Amino acid sequence: MRQFVTGVLAASVLILSVAIIATPDDRVEASSETYRQLNLFGDVFAKIREDYVEEVDDEKLIEAAINGMLSSLDPHSSYLNPKNYDGMKVQTRGKFGGLGIEVTMENGLVKVVAPIDDTPAAKAGVLAGDYITHLDDEAVLGLTLAEAVERMRGLVDTDLKLTIRRAGEKEPLDITLTRAIITVQSVRGRLEDDDILYVRVSSFTEQTDDGLRKTINRLKEEADGNFKGLILDLRNNPGGLLDQAIAVSDDFLEKGEIVSTRGRKADDAQRYNAKPDDIVDGKPIVVLINGGSASASEIVAGALQDHGRAVILGTKSFGKGSVQTIVPLQGNGAMRMTTARYYTPSGTSIQAKGIVPDIEVEQAKLEVLESTGGRSEADLRNHLENGDEAESSADGAVEAAIEEEILDYQLLRAKDLLKGVWLFAKKDAK
């Protein structure tokens, strides 16, 4: 069994259980009531098979009943038929076909948790929080999430039109995407300002922890070991594997609890603790989150925040604090069932609440003001030269870099924060 902290499909599975209550008489009564309900289900099933206006497929009918039953519990417990189960296994390995959107179901509509980096959805401008109301002009309302996801998948290079409702937009938006093979490189990194490590984790797949360590080691070599700190970007990261979230958190913590999970029974509780090994050598960390940061990314942000290891900057996260366990079933299908809630080291559940950042910074668009023509020392006749040899920066590369930085206001604030922390630490060391 493998544990997940993300929900992509929302089918359902039939779970029949008999309550065990205090007295034998109560147990008999509970069992009798359960069998009466099962008989009712059998009567309805038989009547549909016999008298429905069209002939129905027994397998599809039972699967629909399973879907309806579990969809009333939560949007993340699901039955995965063999096809969907195979797709899920491919996805967690980091490569799958589709549009590149992590989704959930809310109020009968498909809600975008986050678009995945460098996919058709991200390139077309699909945003976290968008509601998909129609697929190729057919209403989503009335479909299960599994059915909606199935319709979004298809042959590579075929088109699908999404009709989207977006906050702040009066009219629905129509966006046509071309399906592609989605290969997710879950970790990317670069040096910012030559001495700040910037690492983006877009999802938590089987390769995430290894990819993170390799990326940070590469960046440390590029910086010759002299860097001010790390910016860990978890914005629009919809989650993934629980063990990878724990491993990533452990990469920056020397000791203490990372996360705990608590199930239905008291003895189901599990705690995961850090081992000594900080891959950025105790340098300051800023973690970027937003409303598209969910589940596994919230585990990482919550652990680093509670231990005071990182400053969390951005906007409140999605608030998915439940754990799903994958249980293979006969017939090559599987059951994804919510088995626990997870808690940050301080004992806080963020289910439906989210991680609140230490410093709230909304994403913003900045406008560069044109020069007003004011005079400076350099404009005065016979002014003294600076004495340093100036390098020409008239080419477009610098302007392009400035433009990229301006577009990401949250990243700009994170860099300023790291520089400030580094300056104070440098002064204290003297």
Side-chain angles (χ1 to χ4, degrees):
M1 296 186 295
R2 189 144 203 186
Q3 289 183 317
F4 289 71
V5 280
T6 185
V8 180
L9 302 176
S12 300
V13 62
L14 180 61
I15 302 175
L16 301 175
S17 62
V18 178
I20 300 178
I21 310 177
T23 67
D25 289 341
D26 286 339
R27 287 200 298 270
V28 171
E29 184 178 345
S31 299
S32 299
E33 179 59 27
T34 299
Y35 286 124
R36 279 195 292 270
Q37 296 299 324
L38 287 174
N39 287 334
L40 173 61
F41 175 83
D43 290 343
V44 172
F45 177 72
K47 194 67 177 175
I48 291 173
R49 293 182 67 202
E50 187 176 333
D51 293 334
Y52 184 68
V53 65
E54 295 178 353
E55 187 174 348
V56 293
D57 181 86
D58 288 356
E59 184 177 347
K60 289 183 178 179
L61 200 60
I62 293 173
E63 188 170 323
I66 294 172
N67 288 339
M69 191 173 301
L70 256 180
S71 64
S72 67
L73 299 178
D74 67 72
H76 307 297
S77 295
S78 57
Y79 168 71
L80 304 175
N81 61 32
K83 182 177 180 181
N84 290 337
Y85 184 34
D86 288 342
M88 183 274 297
K89 288 187 287 187
V90 170
Q91 178 174 327
T92 58
R93 287 195 293 268
K95 184 175 180 180
F96 58 98
L99 304 176
I101 317 175
E102 295 282 354
V103 293
T104 188
M105 182 69 81
E106 188 171 298
N107 298 324
L109 301 177
V110 175
K111 183 178 181 179
V112 177
V113 174
I116 299 170
D117 290 350
D118 297 327
T119 63
K123 293 174 182 177
V126 177
L127 302 178
D130 283 348
Y131 286 90
I132 300 173
T133 62
H134 292 75
L135 300 171
D136 278 339
D137 298 321
E138 293 186 15
V140 168
L141 198 64
L143 298 178
T144 66
L145 188 56
E147 292 169 336
V149 168
E150 187 67 26
R151 295 190 185 190
M152 285 189 278
R153 293 174 177 167
L155 297 176
V156 173
D157 295 329
T158 58
D159 292 340
L160 178 69
K161 184 172 82 171
L162 306 183
T163 302
I164 286 174
R165 283 284 184 179
R166 179 175 295 168
E169 299 286 345
K170 294 182 179 179
E171 299 296 326
L173 306 173
D174 288 333
I175 300 177
T176 299
L177 305 178
T178 301
R179 297 180 179 94
I181 294 296
I182 310 300
T183 302
V184 180
Q185 183 181 342
S186 66
V187 181
R188 291 182 174 86
R190 63 178 184 266
L191 278 182
E192 289 281 339
D193 299 342
D194 297 326
D195 56 6
I196 292 176
L197 312 186
Y198 169 83
V199 176
R200 164 145 182 81
V201 179
S202 59
S203 61
F204 288 85
T205 67
E206 292 177 356
Q207 297 87 20
T208 297
D209 184 50
D210 285 343
L212 178 71
R213 286 176 170 270
K214 289 177 182 177
T215 299
I216 286 181
N217 287 335
R218 173 177 61 82
L219 295 179
K220 287 165 68 175
E221 289 179 6
E222 289 181 18
D224 293 325
N226 298 316
F227 61 98
K228 291 183 172 72
L230 166 70
I231 296 173
L232 181 62
D233 191 347
L234 300 179
R235 292 174 296 178
N236 293 330
N237 181 321
L241 299 174
L242 175 62
D243 59 354
Q244 292 294 302
I246 293 168
V248 168
S249 302
D250 195 5
D251 288 339
F252 307 110
L253 295 173
E254 294 281 0
K255 61 181 180 179
E257 183 178 302
I258 295 172
V259 67
S260 63
T261 62
R262 305 176 198 173
R264 181 173 175 178
K265 301 173 183 176
D267 56 2
D268 288 338
Q270 288 185 297
R271 298 182 184 277
Y272 301 89
N273 296 308
K275 300 178 292 292
D277 180 23
D278 185 343
I279 63 175
V280 292
D281 310 316
K283 295 289 181 68
I285 301 173
V286 176
V287 177
L288 293 175
I289 63 170
N290 64 5
S293 306
S295 58
S297 54
E298 292 173 296
I299 287 177
V300 175
L304 299 185
Q305 183 182 53
D306 282 1
H307 283 287
R309 183 63 187 90
V311 175
I312 312 301
L313 186 148
T315 56
K316 189 172 75 168
S317 63
F318 185 77
K320 182 186 177 294
S322 60
V323 179
Q324 284 70 48
T325 300
I326 301 297
V327 183
L329 301 173
Q330 60 180 356
N332 299 319
M335 177 174 68
R336 184 205 311 265
M337 186 170 63
T338 300
T339 53
R341 290 181 175 88
Y342 72 77
Y343 294 79
T344 65
S346 64
T348 302
S349 170
I350 57 86
Q351 174 63 24
K353 293 182 179 179
I355 298 290
V356 178
D358 299 306
I359 301 175
E360 186 167 354
V361 177
E362 296 280 352
Q363 189 62 285
K365 293 182 180 179
L366 300 183
E367 181 180 352
V368 179
L369 298 178
E370 301 233 349
S371 172
T372 59
R375 289 164 64 83
S376 70
E377 172 72 15
D379 298 318
L380 299 179
R381 184 188 299 274
N382 297 326
H383 68 270
L384 291 175
E385 295 295 336
N386 179 270
D388 292 333
E389 215 174 294
E391 294 184 4
S392 173
S393 60
D395 58 17
V398 173
E399 292 183 8
I402 292 173
E403 178 67 17
E404 181 182 356
E405 179 179 79
I406 287 174
L407 288 176
D408 195 342
Y409 182 66
Q410 291 170 327
L411 177 57
L412 186 63
R413 295 280 68 80
K415 288 163 62 176
D416 288 344
L417 177 60
L418 267 185
K419 291 174 183 177
V421 171
W422 180 82
L423 286 172
F424 274 104
K426 186 178 180 182
K427 289 178 180 179
D428 289 342
K430 290 182 177 179

